[in-house]
C-alpha cells in the first residue's frame, strides 16, 4: 500500500537512517531542501507499506503529464523479495492520472569498476522488467554523474518528443531549486 507521508519526524528518520546509505552524498538532496520542498508541496514523500510494515520509500514530483521519481528505494532487509516490483506497480496505480513515470538510472558504461557496473546493470534490468524503456537518444549528466533517462508509460497511447522529456525533467529540478539546472547537461543524440 502506498502512503503519503507528512510527518517530518518520520521523514527525517528515513533520511538519516536509510537515504544516507541508499544514495551517495553526490546524489542525495540536502535535507533542508527536501523539507522545504515537501512543505511547499513541490514534491511528495511516499512510503510503501505491506502488512503494516514500511518497506520502502519514493520521492516524486508531479507535472502535467508525468511523475518524476527523484528517489526510489526498498529497505535493504526487504530487497530481492519482489517488494520493488510491487512498489512500482502501486506507484503506477497511484499516479494513474499521469501519462508516464520518468526516472534516471546511472549509466552502465561509465561505472568505475566491475562491481559498480554489476550494480548498475541489475538496477537497469529491474526497471526493464517492469516495463521501463531507456531513452538512449538523450545524453543526460546531472551533478557530474552520467545517467540514462527511463520511462514507463502509464497511458500506452502517450507519445512524446525527446525535447519534451528533457523539458519535463528540467522543470522538475527547477521547481525544487532553480540553480540546480546549471548542474544538469542534456543533449539529444541522433
Amino acid at each position: 500500500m502506498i502512503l503519503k507521508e507528512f510527518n517530518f519526524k518520520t521523514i527525517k528518520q528515513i533520511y538519516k537512517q536509510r537515504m544516507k546509505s541508499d544514495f551517495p552524498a553526490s546524489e542525495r538532496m540536502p535535507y533542508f531542501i527536501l523539507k522545504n520542498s515537501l512543505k511547499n508541496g513541490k514534491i511528495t514523500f511516499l512510503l510503501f507499506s505491506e502488512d503494516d510494515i514500511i518497506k520502502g520509500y519514493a520521492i516524486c514530483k508531479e507535472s502535467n503529464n508525468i511523475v518524476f521519481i527523484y528517489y526510489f528505494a526498498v529497505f535493504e532487509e526487504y530487497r530481492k523479495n519482489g517488494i520493488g516490483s510491487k512498489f512500482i506497480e502501486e506507484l503506477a496505480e497511484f499516479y494513474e492520472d499521469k501519462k508516464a513515470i520518468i526516472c534516471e538510472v546511472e549509466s552502465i558504461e561509465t561505472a568505475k569498476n566491475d562491481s559498480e557496473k554489476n550494480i548498475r546493470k541489475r538496477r537497469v534490468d529491474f526497471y526493464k522488467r517492469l516495463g521501463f524503456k531507456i531513452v538512449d537518444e538523450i545524453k543526460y549528466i546531472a551533478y557530474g554523474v552520467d545517467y540514462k533517462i527511463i520511462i514507463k508509460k502509464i497511458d500506452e497511447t502517450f507519445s512524446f518528443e525527446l525535447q519534451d522529456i528533457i523539458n519535463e525533467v528540467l522543470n522538475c529540478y527547477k521547481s525544487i531549486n532553480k540553480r540546480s539546472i546549471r548542474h544538469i547537461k542534456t543533449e539529444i543524440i541522433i
Side-chain angles (χ1 to χ4, degrees):
M1 171 188 342
I2 301 272
L3 307 168
K4 245 183 176 176
E5 184 58 59
F6 298 101
N7 181 331
F8 285 102
K9 184 178 178 184
T10 301
I11 292 169
K12 188 171 189 173
Q13 182 180 8
I14 289 171
Y15 184 87
K16 286 183 166 186
Q17 295 176 359
R18 301 294 183 155
M19 282 187 76
K20 285 189 173 184
S21 62
D22 293 333
F23 299 96
S26 62
E27 296 177 23
R28 200 171 49 247
M29 181 185 304
Y31 181 73
F32 76 93
I33 291 177
L34 173 68
K35 186 175 181 180
N36 287 339
S37 297
L38 288 165
K39 279 184 176 179
N40 296 327
K42 294 178 181 178
I43 59 175
T44 306
F45 197 98
L46 300 171
L47 298 173
F48 180 76
S49 173
E50 189 177 61
D51 303 322
D52 294 323
I53 300 169
I54 303 299
K55 296 185 176 181
Y57 61 92
I59 299 174
C60 303
K61 168 69 178 156
E62 295 178 58
S63 73
N64 292 334
N65 291 318
I66 65 106
V67 59
F68 181 76
I69 300 176
Y70 286 102
Y71 300 99
F72 176 84
V74 171
F75 296 163
E76 189 172 5
E77 62 270 28
Y78 300 112
R79 292 180 189 157
K80 299 182 181 171
N81 293 310
I83 301 299
S85 299
K86 290 178 192 175
F87 194 178
I88 290 290
E89 288 170 14
E90 288 200 23
L91 279 173
E93 289 175 26
F94 188 82
Y95 288 112
E96 67 185 357
D97 62 324
K98 300 299 174 196
K99 304 287 186 191
I101 297 172
I102 296 178
C103 52
E104 50 197 23
V105 290
E106 299 96 338
S107 172
I108 295 169
E109 299 80 21
T110 59
K112 293 176 183 158
N113 55 49
D114 286 342
S115 175
E116 188 175 292
K117 186 178 272 192
N118 289 334
I119 291 168
R120 291 180 179 193
K121 183 169 179 359
R122 281 197 321 267
R123 192 172 294 137
V124 168
D125 290 344
F126 163 78
Y127 284 110
K128 282 181 174 180
R129 281 193 309 275
L130 296 171
F132 282 84
K133 305 284 186 234
I134 295 176
V135 184
D136 284 318
E137 300 87 356
I138 296 176
K139 181 177 171 91
Y140 177 70
I141 301 170
Y143 295 91
V145 179
D146 286 339
Y147 288 100
K148 295 287 185 181
I149 293 177
I150 58 174
I151 295 179
K152 176 180 178 63
K153 288 184 181 182
I154 297 171
D155 175 352
E156 288 302 323
T157 64
F158 178 60
S159 63
F160 48 82
E161 298 291 325
L162 294 173
Q163 190 59 53
D164 293 339
I165 295 170
I166 291 171
N167 292 342
E168 290 278 7
V169 171
L170 293 177
N171 286 336
C172 288
Y173 273 102
K174 273 196 280 192
S175 73
I176 290 178
N177 182 351
K178 289 179 178 141
R179 290 178 284 190
S180 67
I181 294 306
R182 67 180 170 206
H183 299 287
I184 300 172
K185 296 181 182 7
T186 62
E187 180 183 343
I188 295 175
I189 304 165
I190 300 202

